[in-house]
Amino acid sequence: MSRSWVSPGVAYLARGLLSIVAPAASSVIIVARLASLKGVRVSPWLISAVVLGAAPLGFVAYVLVDGRSQQRKANRLGARLVPRVRGKWPGNLDTVVNMVLRNENEYLGRPIEDEIKVLGPTINLRFFWEDLIVTTEPQHIKASFDTILATDFDNYVKGTKFREAADSVLGTGVFNSDGEIWKLHRTMTRPFFTHDRISHFEIFDRHADHAIALAKERFRAGLAVDFQDLISRFTLDSASEFLFGHCIDSLSAGLPYPHNATESTNTNQGDNAAAAFAYAFSQAQQGINRRVSTGQTWPLTEILADSTAQHMKVVDAFLDPILKDALEKHSTAVEFDKNEFADDQTLVDHLVNLTSDFKIIKDETLNILLAGRDTTASTLTSAVYLLAMHPEFLTRLREEIISKVGLTRRPTYDDIKEMKYLRAVLNETLRLFPAVPFDVRENIHETTWISPEHGKKPLFIPQGTMLYYSVFLMHRRTDLWGPDALEFDPDRWLDERVKKYLIPNPFIFLPFNAGPRICLGQQFAYNEMSFMVIRLLQNFFKITLSPEPGDAPTCVVG
């Protein structure tokens, strides 16, 4: 990940000014030179007016020409332009402001959903005269229609716009690279996520026991638990030990207390290295999300400093010594077959056996850590929330768990495979609350997408367009999942609705992506989530939501 003493905003403005001043200055020099050869004196005021007016007039001309050019290209391909959001202010500024404000206070994706209801499942937000296409249409994603995730894969990349936004955190890791670099990272990482490795549950068990013990201690004190915080620590500790062989041990920092707890119970956890790392890593990720959601002009929000820089210093201080130590140990270790895996080999051990490039190793481990923590933490938080809201499903799930493994036995990989209702609960959670609700690609070449409306011309996609696809909104479409699509019902994965909706159109369910970029850690995530749900319901027979953070416990011990 690159670091610069110049802030993203200053660098962005400098590039912009250079692109404006250089052509304008060149034009003025040429005009002044021609005038002097003809013996004509050019007024300084006229030169100033030309310099000042060249940029805005040139931009207006560009917008007009670009619009006509797109229409001609679409006509040539027998296509039509993607329906555009029409704001009242230039550049759809009012729409941008409205979406930003609503996203702060409303349900995820609601502003875009409102536009889709009017314009259809694929729309062009066209913010600041830049094409930003959003789709919830499985036809534009699935392989058989040659689009984003499968057979036309090479035309859809993360792209320079996303890479610039994520580079300071993800570097050139597997989630922020394309082409040969992406293939290198993918090839290096894939062998680590084999069945034999992802089914080792000792790590899950140790950290699950720690998390549950902390929760019980808090409940005995008559206080609620912030489950999202608890489970994020569990997944961070599990993922770090699995990947690095070095547990971050964020659970040891102690759980936060409700804001209205007595003053004596609140302790300062700011000096704890594990808590500092967890917070910094989370804030750095949020920085990427803000940038991507802002669009290409995100550097203007970081004029004074890089918003991720200070957080990444904390991450680097924690992680760099671990990686350097692994490289040093490898340099003095006995050479062994790079295709062989020791039982206790970690991802870092595997990577240092393949390369000594510190940046490649660091970028890849950070990328995998992000996925290993966020997917499971998000899904487990949502699952517990939904089970608390639907106690009848919790009771049924607990009955399956107790019938298979009892109240104390640690589950095995085979146990988890046999728990059909558990898998249904997790799938239904991933349907309603996918860990990655929106994703983005950029197309290299202009192309067309089949029309989602029968009988209409295909949609024209201009070259170099930012393409957002929302599985969150797609998973909730009643035309794809039935009239009860907004309801939490695990039975939809066990009854005739599977044959009616999912089997004919499998691309309507994409919690782990698809095609060449499908998540390598998908089965690892299912195993970890299943393991933790089993352990929770072995210990608790009831979960309730606390109306206020400081109220009664949120779980009842069984």
Side-chain angles (χ1 to χ4, degrees):
M1 45 222 73
S2 61
R3 304 290 164 79
S4 173
W5 60 272
V6 178
S7 73
V10 171
Y12 181 83
L13 289 174
R15 291 194 301 269
L17 288 173
L18 185 62
S19 66
I20 293 172
V21 171
S26 300
S27 301
V28 169
I29 291 171
I30 292 171
V31 171
R33 180 60 177 164
L34 291 174
S36 66
L37 291 175
K38 297 290 185 179
V40 179
R41 181 178 179 276
V42 180
S43 168
W45 293 104
L46 179 60
I47 293 176
S48 300
V50 171
V51 172
L52 293 174
L57 289 175
F59 182 74
V60 171
Y62 165 77
V63 171
L64 293 174
V65 170
D66 180 59
R68 292 181 180 178
S69 174
Q70 284 194 23
Q71 187 62 65
R72 285 197 302 271
K73 291 177 180 177
N75 292 340
R76 187 176 69 247
L77 295 172
R80 59 191 172 99
L81 299 181
V82 174
R84 292 180 176 181
V85 173
R86 304 285 182 181
K88 297 178 180 179
W89 296 357
N92 278 347
L93 178 60
D94 57 319
T95 306
V96 175
V97 173
N98 179 53
M99 283 194 173
V100 169
L101 294 176
R102 290 182 64 188
N103 281 334
E104 290 291 327
N105 302 299
E106 294 188 25
Y107 208 62
L108 177 67
R110 182 61 58 80
I112 291 177
E113 185 181 30
D114 288 346
E115 298 291 351
I116 283 174
K117 287 178 179 177
V118 176
L119 298 174
T122 301
I123 63 174
N124 187 349
L125 296 176
R126 192 70 177 171
F127 288 163
F128 302 118
W129 300 279
E130 176 189 1
D131 291 313
L132 295 172
I133 293 176
V134 181
T135 185
T136 64
E137 179 54 53
Q139 292 185 94
H140 298 158
I141 300 173
K142 66 181 180 178
S144 58
F145 286 90
D146 293 336
T147 46
I148 292 178
L149 295 177
T151 58
D152 200 20
F153 172 76
D154 289 338
N155 189 38
Y156 296 90
V157 296
K158 283 292 187 177
T160 56
K161 297 170 186 175
F162 181 85
R163 284 201 300 274
E164 288 175 359
D167 179 71
S168 61
V169 178
L170 300 180
T172 59
V174 69
F175 297 132
N176 196 36
S177 58
D178 294 305
E180 293 305 314
I181 296 178
W182 171 78
K183 290 178 182 177
L184 171 66
H185 281 287
R186 184 88 174 182
T187 302
M188 291 172 62
T189 307
R190 183 186 292 110
F192 188 74
F193 287 94
T194 61
H195 163 76
D196 290 340
R197 303 203 62 79
I198 61 176
S199 58
H200 288 179
F201 290 160
E202 291 84 357
I203 292 174
F204 299 158
D205 195 38
R206 186 161 55 255
H207 298 300
D209 284 348
H210 191 178
I212 290 170
L214 290 173
K216 287 182 176 179
E217 180 182 350
R218 189 58 55 84
F219 296 148
R220 284 193 293 268
L223 294 171
V225 167
D226 181 343
F227 187 80
Q228 184 172 9
D229 176 85
L230 176 70
I231 213 65
S232 294
R233 292 166 188 255
F234 160 74
T235 56
L236 182 60
D237 289 354
S238 298
S240 61
E241 185 171 351
F242 177 76
L243 299 173
F244 306 151
H246 184 101
C247 176
I248 289 172
D249 205 16
S250 60
L251 284 167
S252 69
L255 304 183
Y257 283 89
H259 70 90
N260 55 354
T262 58
E263 186 175 351
S264 61
T265 63
N266 283 288
T267 57
N268 183 7
Q269 301 165 19
D271 295 332
N272 184 281
F277 174 90
Y279 176 78
F281 191 50
S282 176
Q283 290 301 306
Q285 292 175 59
Q286 290 186 32
I288 296 176
N289 293 337
R290 285 193 298 270
R291 290 172 175 178
V292 173
S293 62
T294 301
Q296 201 170 349
T297 58
W298 69 263
L300 295 179
T301 66
E302 299 182 27
I303 295 292
L304 299 180
D306 184 326
S307 67
T308 66
Q310 292 301 315
H311 301 304
M312 289 309 297
K313 284 182 180 179
V314 177
V315 172
D316 292 347
F318 194 95
L319 189 57
D320 286 2
I322 298 173
L323 301 181
K324 289 176 180 177
D325 181 60
L327 282 168
E328 290 174 5
K329 288 180 179 178
H330 177 73
S331 66
T332 59
V334 177
E335 188 75 18
F336 63 93
D337 189 342
K338 294 182 179 182
N339 295 317
E340 292 183 0
F341 289 89
D343 288 340
D344 59 348
Q345 189 177 14
T346 67
L347 176 65
V348 171
D349 295 330
H350 171 59
L351 294 177
V352 299
N353 190 43
L354 298 175
T355 179
S356 59
D357 189 313
F358 182 81
K359 177 174 171 54
I360 289 178
I361 294 171
K362 182 176 181 178
D363 288 351
E364 189 61 14
T365 51
L366 265 180
N367 278 244
I368 301 300
L369 177 62
L370 182 151
R373 177 203 186 189
D374 284 8
T375 300
T376 46
S378 168
T379 306
L380 284 170
T381 300
S382 299
V384 166
Y385 167 78
L386 290 167
L387 290 172
M389 295 292 290
H390 300 276
E392 69 278 14
F393 297 137
L394 185 151
T395 299
R396 184 173 163 189
L397 175 58
R398 190 169 191 265
E399 288 173 353
E400 178 184 69
I401 290 170
I402 302 307
S403 69
K404 294 290 184 182
V405 295
L407 289 171
T408 59
R409 182 168 70 82
R410 189 180 81 183
T412 65
Y413 179 75
D414 290 334
D415 290 330
I416 289 174
K417 281 180 61 178
E418 293 176 4
M419 296 187 191
K420 306 302 182 185
Y421 194 70
L422 171 59
R423 185 60 168 253
V425 167
L426 292 176
N427 278 343
E428 184 68 345
T429 301
L430 286 164
R431 185 184 70 83
L432 288 173
F433 295 101
V436 183
F438 291 83
D439 208 344
V440 62
R441 294 290 185 271
E442 182 179 335
N443 61 312
I444 299 175
H445 308 292
E446 64 184 40
T447 187
T448 60
W449 285 354
I450 190 170
S451 175
E453 300 161 282
H454 182 69
K456 287 193 175 183
K457 292 181 179 180
L459 301 175
F460 174 69
I461 310 298
Q463 174 185 356
T465 300
M466 293 294 284
L467 307 167
Y468 295 84
Y469 58 98
S470 174
V471 296
F472 175 83
L473 295 177
M474 182 177 72
H475 287 177
R476 292 161 174 256
R477 283 177 54 175
T478 54
D479 59 323
L480 299 177
W481 288 92
D484 60 349
L486 296 178
E487 298 176 15
F488 177 70
D489 183 5
D491 282 318
R492 79 173 70 248
W493 298 92
L494 304 171
D495 60 25
E496 70 282 352
R497 285 173 289 184
V498 173
K499 294 181 180 179
K500 184 176 182 180
Y501 298 111
L502 187 62
I503 292 178
N505 195 0
F507 269 68
I508 65 174
F509 183 61
L510 294 173
F512 292 100
N513 227 324
R517 283 189 184 264
I518 192 169
C519 177
L520 288 174
Q522 174 177 343
Q523 194 56 52
F524 173 86
Y526 270 121
N527 286 346
E528 184 178 20
M529 293 185 297
S530 300
F531 191 98
M532 189 56 172
V533 170
I534 291 169
R535 279 308 204 200
L536 281 170
L537 295 189
Q538 282 179 320
N539 283 273
F540 305 108
F541 68 84
K542 183 180 180 183
I543 302 174
T544 59
L545 301 179
S546 176
E548 292 294 335
D551 282 358
T554 56
C555 295
V556 178
V557 179

